Amino acid sequence: MEMIQDSVAPAVRQETPGQKLKREWFPDVRADLLSGAVVALALIPEAVAFSIIAGVDPKVGLYASFIIAVLTGIFGGRTGMISAATAAMAVLFVTLVKQHGIEYLFAATILTGILQFGIGAAGFGRFMRFVPRAVMVGFVNALAILIFLAQLPQFQNANWMMYAMVAASLGIIYGLPRITKAVPSALVAIIVMTIAAIAFKLPLRTVGDMGDLPKALPLFALPQVPLSLETLQIIFPYSIALAVVGVLESLLTASLLDDLTETTSDKNRECKAQGLANFVTGFFGGMAGCAMIGQSVINFRSGGRGRLSSFAAGALLLFFILVMGEWVRQIPMGALVAVMFMVSIGTFDWASFKSLQFHPRNESVVMVATVVAVVYTHNLAIGVGVGIVLSALFFARKVAKLSAVESSFDEATQTRTYTVYGQLFFVSTDEFLSAFNFDERIEHVKIDLTHAHLWDSSAVAAIDKVVFRLRRSGHEVQLIGMNHATATIIDRLALHDKEGAVEAAGSH
């Protein structure tokens, strides 16, 4: 993905409250409001579609998108990021709604918010640094593919005019910036195509065909569920899954925007903001949501940078469906599909194709595996999990190869010294064991750990195994050169230096 220059540089000097307010909220009011309008129009059909996925009324997704976008815009840790109802969260509600009804969806959403706020308060946002770049690139590419694939159903049974409208919209989106960048080209494309569709009465699918739009403000209401342990047992597994997926997708999106704009974000604050937004949403008839990379990219490409753009996206969404509902219903889906195609094309990291031949093979495997897992399962959490696990395995394998054992023999004392180098843990223990000669006819053996470090119980068990086998072969064994950490873990876990070690050797 190409770099987006951010007009808001991270503060170097200490800011006054007024300077911080202007930097976060009003870097470019006009650009933020216009980009917010583009995002709001693009959010409407998606929120309706996500509601349908979850098996609930369209207003559930629309109300959620309004509340979440507004609250995360105010309290979030990444300015300009868009959060709303998402497909990743909607699919997790399907079984709950079918088995227990929509009121349990609201209760699960409230609990999800509480869990996410707790995750942020506990500081888990800092663990994002453990997500490798290869996983990030795979996540971005997979999401770009999913965004593209999600538009294809709009072409089923479509006439030639649908294809023509998409092509014309893309022409405006990519052509207008060559003439002027005063207005977001995506917004111009939506307005022009809507006017054309209405003026010529074109037989095209519109936003109104996606579902009914609400005509009233969301109202506060407590979920109509029993306040009991049984209710908690029902919603807790769903809320845990929702909280993890929501936090993961939101933090990955924030990290991506950090890279694009060369600025930083507060990940823990973002977790708490997501939690607050979902908590409130559950009381106003909405479902849990999270950050949306597609809409966030639309916002940034349309010029949105400040909190006002995210706030405006939510506020204008409600304005459009309540005040301009009749016009919004007539927006042709072809124009919105073109906008999402633009997002897909712009989100995909095309340079990652070229880098496959230059990057280490392990990193390429991780990136491709992440893409395949996400696209196959349509679950971003699973794909990212696969990528992280593969990265950890490859890293462990690489570190294990850095360990070695050298042997030397002192004729005068008839002592064999094994000098161990590197990191000893569960992956490197096999190579460690294979370095010893247990049949050698000598009396004294020293194991020098000066240049080694033991990390886990597997490493300690390997030391025990070597010591016991050497003792059974008649050798006198001595461990030397242990650093404090290694000596501590051996003292706590090893058996060879404990009472009854001879007896323990037989069962170790």
Side-chain angles (χ1 to χ4, degrees), residues 162-349:
M162 172 66 173
Y163 293 90
M165 176 157 287
V166 172
S169 299
L170 287 172
I172 294 174
I173 289 169
Y174 288 107
L176 184 63
R178 297 176 180 273
I179 302 172
T180 178
K181 295 183 179 180
V183 182
S185 59
L187 180 60
V188 174
I190 293 171
I191 293 173
V192 170
M193 291 300 116
T194 301
I195 292 173
I198 294 173
F200 296 105
K201 298 180 180 179
L202 301 179
L204 293 167
R205 193 176 189 194
T206 65
V207 170
D209 296 325
M210 297 290 292
D212 294 330
L213 302 182
K215 298 180 180 179
L217 291 168
L219 299 175
F220 177 86
L222 294 173
Q224 299 302 301
V225 297
L227 294 176
S228 64
L229 183 60
E230 182 182 358
T231 298
L232 182 61
Q233 290 174 334
I234 291 171
I235 66 173
F236 189 74
Y238 293 96
S239 295
I240 280 286
L242 289 160
V244 171
V245 170
V247 164
L248 183 60
E249 188 165 348
S250 297
L251 296 188
L252 285 170
T253 302
S255 295
L256 172 66
L257 297 178
D258 290 349
D259 289 342
L260 288 176
T261 60
E262 297 183 328
T263 57
T264 59
S265 59
D266 187 334
K267 304 297 190 301
N268 291 320
R269 178 176 177 177
E270 185 60 42
C271 288
K272 290 188 281 188
Q274 294 288 333
L276 174 64
N278 283 323
F279 178 78
V280 174
T281 298
F283 289 109
F284 285 88
M287 63 184 186
C290 62
M292 305 178 75
I293 188 171
Q295 304 298 344
S296 298
V297 171
I298 290 177
N299 189 41
F300 274 76
R301 291 194 176 282
S302 299
R305 294 293 184 275
R307 295 186 182 279
L308 182 61
S309 62
S310 306
F311 180 90
L316 289 175
L317 181 149
L318 191 66
F319 174 80
F320 288 148
I321 61 178
L322 295 183
V323 179
M324 302 181 64
E326 289 304 318
W327 291 96
V328 171
R329 288 181 179 86
Q330 298 181 70
I331 295 175
M333 288 302 301
L336 297 176
V337 166
V339 172
M340 298 313 296
F341 277 165
M342 173 202 73
V343 173
S344 176
I345 294 168
T347 300
F348 197 91
D349 188 351

Side-chain angles (χ1 to χ4, degrees), residues 15-186:
E15 291 181 307
T16 66
Q19 290 173 328
K20 182 177 181 182
L21 178 69
K22 183 178 180 180
R23 176 176 62 83
E24 292 191 351
W25 277 94
F26 309 114
D28 189 336
V29 174
R30 180 176 169 278
D32 282 349
L33 290 176
L34 289 174
S35 62
V38 177
V39 172
L41 292 172
L43 274 175
I44 293 172
E46 291 202 343
V48 173
F50 300 152
S51 299
I52 295 171
I53 289 173
V56 296
D57 190 279
K59 68 181 180 182
V60 175
L62 290 166
Y63 287 161
S65 295
F66 155 62
I67 295 169
I68 294 171
V70 167
L71 290 180
T72 55
I74 296 172
F75 300 107
R78 169 72 253 181
T79 58
M81 189 166 76
I82 305 298
S83 298
T86 65
M89 304 289 269
V91 296
L92 298 175
F93 281 120
V94 174
T95 304
L96 177 64
V97 173
K98 282 183 179 178
Q99 294 182 353
H100 302 284
I102 192 171
E103 294 296 330
Y104 281 84
L105 175 147
F106 300 144
T109 295
I110 293 169
L111 180 57
T112 297
I114 295 172
L115 293 173
Q116 288 180 323
F117 193 91
I119 289 172
F124 283 109
R126 65 181 181 274
F127 291 113
M128 276 305 299
R129 66 178 181 270
F130 293 112
V131 178
R133 175 166 174 76
V135 177
M136 280 289 296
V137 173
F139 162 78
V140 169
N141 289 346
L143 205 48
I145 294 170
L146 289 182
I147 291 171
F148 179 84
L149 294 177
Q151 311 313 310
L152 299 185
Q154 299 294 337
F155 292 95
Q156 291 179 357
N157 302 319
N159 54 37
W160 66 270
M161 282 181 281
M162 172 66 173
Y163 293 90
M165 176 157 287
V166 172
S169 299
L170 287 172
I172 294 174
I173 289 169
Y174 288 107
L176 184 63
R178 297 176 180 273
I179 302 172
T180 178
K181 295 183 179 180
V183 182
S185 59

